[in-house]
mmCIF file with all atom_site columns, all heavy atoms in Angstrom:
data_model
loop_
_atom_site.group_PDB
_atom_site.id
_atom_site.type_symbol
_atom_site.label_atom_id
_atom_site.label_alt_id
_atom_site.label_comp_id
_atom_site.label_asym_id
_atom_site.label_entity_id
_atom_site.label_seq_id
_atom_site.pdbx_PDB_ins_code
_atom_site.Cartn_x
_atom_site.Cartn_y
_atom_site.Cartn_z
_atom_site.occupancy
_atom_site.B_iso_or_equiv
_atom_site.pdbx_formal_charge
_atom_site.auth_seq_id
_atom_site.auth_comp_id
_atom_site.auth_asym_id
_atom_site.auth_atom_id
_atom_site.pdbx_PDB_model_num
ATOM 1  N N   . HIS A 1 28  ? 8.742   5.797   6.740   1.00 97.00 ? 28  HIS A N   1
ATOM 2  C CA  . HIS A 1 28  ? 8.231   4.928   5.671   1.00 97.00 ? 28  HIS A CA  1
ATOM 3  C C   . HIS A 1 28  ? 9.390   4.316   4.902   1.00 97.00 ? 28  HIS A C   1
ATOM 4  O O   . HIS A 1 28  ? 10.423  4.973   4.688   1.00 97.00 ? 28  HIS A O   1
ATOM 5  C CB  . HIS A 1 28  ? 7.367   5.720   4.724   1.00 97.00 ? 28  HIS A CB  1
ATOM 6  C CG  . HIS A 1 28  ? 6.149   6.338   5.349   1.00 97.00 ? 28  HIS A CG  1
ATOM 7  N ND1 . HIS A 1 28  ? 6.230   7.483   6.111   1.00 97.00 ? 28  HIS A ND1 1
ATOM 8  C CD2 . HIS A 1 28  ? 4.847   5.957   5.345   1.00 97.00 ? 28  HIS A CD2 1
ATOM 9  C CE1 . HIS A 1 28  ? 4.992   7.783   6.533   1.00 97.00 ? 28  HIS A CE1 1
ATOM 10 N NE2 . HIS A 1 28  ? 4.138   6.883   6.089   1.00 97.00 ? 28  HIS A NE2 1
ATOM 11 N N   . GLY A 1 32  ? 8.180   -0.257  -3.559  1.00 97.00 ? 32  GLY A N   1
ATOM 12 C CA  . GLY A 1 32  ? 7.827   -0.432  -4.960  1.00 97.00 ? 32  GLY A CA  1
ATOM 13 C C   . GLY A 1 32  ? 6.312   -0.338  -5.133  1.00 97.00 ? 32  GLY A C   1
ATOM 14 O O   . GLY A 1 32  ? 5.676   0.555   -4.598  1.00 97.00 ? 32  GLY A O   1
ATOM 15 N N   . ARG A 1 36  ? -2.348  -6.230  -7.947  1.00 98.00 ? 36  ARG A N   1
ATOM 16 C CA  . ARG A 1 36  ? -3.406  -7.177  -7.610  1.00 98.00 ? 36  ARG A CA  1
ATOM 17 C C   . ARG A 1 36  ? -3.881  -7.823  -8.914  1.00 98.00 ? 36  ARG A C   1
ATOM 18 O O   . ARG A 1 36  ? -4.267  -7.129  -9.865  1.00 98.00 ? 36  ARG A O   1
ATOM 19 C CB  . ARG A 1 36  ? -4.597  -6.451  -6.945  1.00 98.00 ? 36  ARG A CB  1
ATOM 20 C CG  . ARG A 1 36  ? -5.744  -7.379  -6.537  1.00 98.00 ? 36  ARG A CG  1
ATOM 21 C CD  . ARG A 1 36  ? -6.798  -6.640  -5.732  1.00 98.00 ? 36  ARG A CD  1
ATOM 22 N NE  . ARG A 1 36  ? -6.226  -6.216  -4.451  1.00 98.00 ? 36  ARG A NE  1
ATOM 23 C CZ  . ARG A 1 36  ? -6.105  -6.980  -3.365  1.00 98.00 ? 36  ARG A CZ  1
ATOM 24 N NH1 . ARG A 1 36  ? -6.559  -8.233  -3.406  1.00 98.00 ? 36  ARG A NH1 1
ATOM 25 N NH2 . ARG A 1 36  ? -5.601  -6.500  -2.269  1.00 98.00 ? 36  ARG A NH2 1
ATOM 26 N N   . PHE A 1 48  ? -4.558  -12.745 -6.372  1.00 98.00 ? 48  PHE A N   1
ATOM 27 C CA  . PHE A 1 48  ? -3.398  -12.664 -5.512  1.00 98.00 ? 48  PHE A CA  1
ATOM 28 C C   . PHE A 1 48  ? -2.681  -11.346 -5.733  1.00 98.00 ? 48  PHE A C   1
ATOM 29 O O   . PHE A 1 48  ? -2.966  -10.603 -6.704  1.00 98.00 ? 48  PHE A O   1
ATOM 30 C CB  . PHE A 1 48  ? -2.437  -13.843 -5.795  1.00 98.00 ? 48  PHE A CB  1
ATOM 31 C CG  . PHE A 1 48  ? -2.062  -13.977 -7.244  1.00 98.00 ? 48  PHE A CG  1
ATOM 32 C CD1 . PHE A 1 48  ? -0.883  -13.424 -7.738  1.00 98.00 ? 48  PHE A CD1 1
ATOM 33 C CD2 . PHE A 1 48  ? -2.868  -14.677 -8.117  1.00 98.00 ? 48  PHE A CD2 1
ATOM 34 C CE1 . PHE A 1 48  ? -0.523  -13.567 -9.083  1.00 98.00 ? 48  PHE A CE1 1
ATOM 35 C CE2 . PHE A 1 48  ? -2.536  -14.834 -9.473  1.00 98.00 ? 48  PHE A CE2 1
ATOM 36 C CZ  . PHE A 1 48  ? -1.356  -14.267 -9.936  1.00 98.00 ? 48  PHE A CZ  1
ATOM 37 N N   . GLU A 1 71  ? 7.389   -14.710 -12.809 1.00 98.00 ? 71  GLU A N   1
ATOM 38 C CA  . GLU A 1 71  ? 7.654   -15.693 -11.793 1.00 98.00 ? 71  GLU A CA  1
ATOM 39 C C   . GLU A 1 71  ? 7.856   -14.980 -10.458 1.00 98.00 ? 71  GLU A C   1
ATOM 40 O O   . GLU A 1 71  ? 8.255   -13.808 -10.426 1.00 98.00 ? 71  GLU A O   1
ATOM 41 C CB  . GLU A 1 71  ? 8.936   -16.485 -12.146 1.00 98.00 ? 71  GLU A CB  1
ATOM 42 C CG  . GLU A 1 71  ? 8.802   -17.323 -13.407 1.00 98.00 ? 71  GLU A CG  1
ATOM 43 C CD  . GLU A 1 71  ? 10.061  -18.114 -13.669 1.00 98.00 ? 71  GLU A CD  1
ATOM 44 O OE1 . GLU A 1 71  ? 11.096  -17.884 -12.987 1.00 98.00 ? 71  GLU A OE1 1
ATOM 45 O OE2 . GLU A 1 71  ? 10.042  -18.981 -14.577 1.00 98.00 ? 71  GLU A OE2 1
ATOM 46 N N   . VAL A 1 75  ? 6.069   -14.694 -0.011  1.00 97.00 ? 75  VAL A N   1
ATOM 47 C CA  . VAL A 1 75  ? 6.741   -13.807 0.930   1.00 97.00 ? 75  VAL A CA  1
ATOM 48 C C   . VAL A 1 75  ? 7.210   -14.615 2.153   1.00 97.00 ? 75  VAL A C   1
ATOM 49 O O   . VAL A 1 75  ? 6.446   -15.408 2.718   1.00 97.00 ? 75  VAL A O   1
ATOM 50 C CB  . VAL A 1 75  ? 5.776   -12.690 1.381   1.00 97.00 ? 75  VAL A CB  1
ATOM 51 C CG1 . VAL A 1 75  ? 6.295   -11.963 2.603   1.00 97.00 ? 75  VAL A CG1 1
ATOM 52 C CG2 . VAL A 1 75  ? 5.526   -11.723 0.238   1.00 97.00 ? 75  VAL A CG2 1
ATOM 53 N N   . ARG A 1 129 ? -12.583 -0.850  6.212   1.00 98.00 ? 129 ARG A N   1
ATOM 54 C CA  . ARG A 1 129 ? -13.773 -1.329  5.479   1.00 98.00 ? 129 ARG A CA  1
ATOM 55 C C   . ARG A 1 129 ? -13.951 -0.520  4.200   1.00 98.00 ? 129 ARG A C   1
ATOM 56 O O   . ARG A 1 129 ? -14.318 -1.060  3.155   1.00 98.00 ? 129 ARG A O   1
ATOM 57 C CB  . ARG A 1 129 ? -15.019 -1.210  6.370   1.00 98.00 ? 129 ARG A CB  1
ATOM 58 C CG  . ARG A 1 129 ? -16.296 -1.627  5.657   1.00 98.00 ? 129 ARG A CG  1
ATOM 59 C CD  . ARG A 1 129 ? -17.499 -1.669  6.597   1.00 98.00 ? 129 ARG A CD  1
ATOM 60 N NE  . ARG A 1 129 ? -18.719 -1.960  5.883   1.00 98.00 ? 129 ARG A NE  1
ATOM 61 C CZ  . ARG A 1 129 ? -19.115 -3.146  5.495   1.00 98.00 ? 129 ARG A CZ  1
ATOM 62 N NH1 . ARG A 1 129 ? -18.347 -4.188  5.779   1.00 98.00 ? 129 ARG A NH1 1
ATOM 63 N NH2 . ARG A 1 129 ? -20.240 -3.321  4.870   1.00 98.00 ? 129 ARG A NH2 1
ATOM 64 N N   . THR A 1 137 ? -9.207  -0.759  -5.908  1.00 96.00 ? 137 THR A N   1
ATOM 65 C CA  . THR A 1 137 ? -8.578  -0.588  -7.221  1.00 96.00 ? 137 THR A CA  1
ATOM 66 C C   . THR A 1 137 ? -8.006  0.820   -7.440  1.00 96.00 ? 137 THR A C   1
ATOM 67 O O   . THR A 1 137 ? -7.436  1.104   -8.499  1.00 96.00 ? 137 THR A O   1
ATOM 68 C CB  . THR A 1 137 ? -9.605  -0.852  -8.341  1.00 96.00 ? 137 THR A CB  1
ATOM 69 O OG1 . THR A 1 137 ? -10.716 0.052   -8.213  1.00 96.00 ? 137 THR A OG1 1
ATOM 70 C CG2 . THR A 1 137 ? -10.114 -2.290  -8.247  1.00 96.00 ? 137 THR A CG2 1
ATOM 71 N N   . GLU A 1 147 ? 5.279   -2.004  11.096  1.00 97.00 ? 147 GLU A N   1
ATOM 72 C CA  . GLU A 1 147 ? 6.194   -2.557  12.100  1.00 97.00 ? 147 GLU A CA  1
ATOM 73 C C   . GLU A 1 147 ? 6.226   -1.565  13.281  1.00 97.00 ? 147 GLU A C   1
ATOM 74 O O   . GLU A 1 147 ? 6.568   -0.386  13.094  1.00 97.00 ? 147 GLU A O   1
ATOM 75 C CB  . GLU A 1 147 ? 7.595   -2.720  11.518  1.00 97.00 ? 147 GLU A CB  1
ATOM 76 C CG  . GLU A 1 147 ? 8.642   -3.196  12.502  1.00 97.00 ? 147 GLU A CG  1
ATOM 77 C CD  . GLU A 1 147 ? 9.998   -3.344  11.822  1.00 97.00 ? 147 GLU A CD  1
ATOM 78 O OE1 . GLU A 1 147 ? 10.128  -4.240  10.992  1.00 97.00 ? 147 GLU A OE1 1
ATOM 79 O OE2 . GLU A 1 147 ? 10.891  -2.538  12.155  1.00 97.00 ? 147 GLU A OE2 1
ATOM 80 N N   . LYS A 1 157 ? 12.043  -5.598  20.316  1.00 91.00 ? 157 LYS A N   1
ATOM 81 C CA  . LYS A 1 157 ? 10.671  -5.890  20.771  1.00 91.00 ? 157 LYS A CA  1
ATOM 82 C C   . LYS A 1 157 ? 9.715   -5.205  19.814  1.00 91.00 ? 157 LYS A C   1
ATOM 83 O O   . LYS A 1 157 ? 9.528   -3.973  19.874  1.00 91.00 ? 157 LYS A O   1
ATOM 84 C CB  . LYS A 1 157 ? 10.505  -5.409  22.219  1.00 91.00 ? 157 LYS A CB  1
ATOM 85 C CG  . LYS A 1 157 ? 9.198   -5.845  22.845  1.00 91.00 ? 157 LYS A CG  1
ATOM 86 C CD  . LYS A 1 157 ? 9.110   -5.445  24.312  1.00 91.00 ? 157 LYS A CD  1
ATOM 87 C CE  . LYS A 1 157 ? 7.827   -5.919  24.948  1.00 91.00 ? 157 LYS A CE  1
ATOM 88 N NZ  . LYS A 1 157 ? 7.709   -5.457  26.379  1.00 91.00 ? 157 LYS A NZ  1
#
Side-chain angles (χ1 to χ4, degrees):
H28 299 77
R36 181 172 295 276
F48 53 96
E71 296 182 352
V75 166
R129 179 174 174 79
T137 60
E147 177 181 291
K157 189 176 182 181

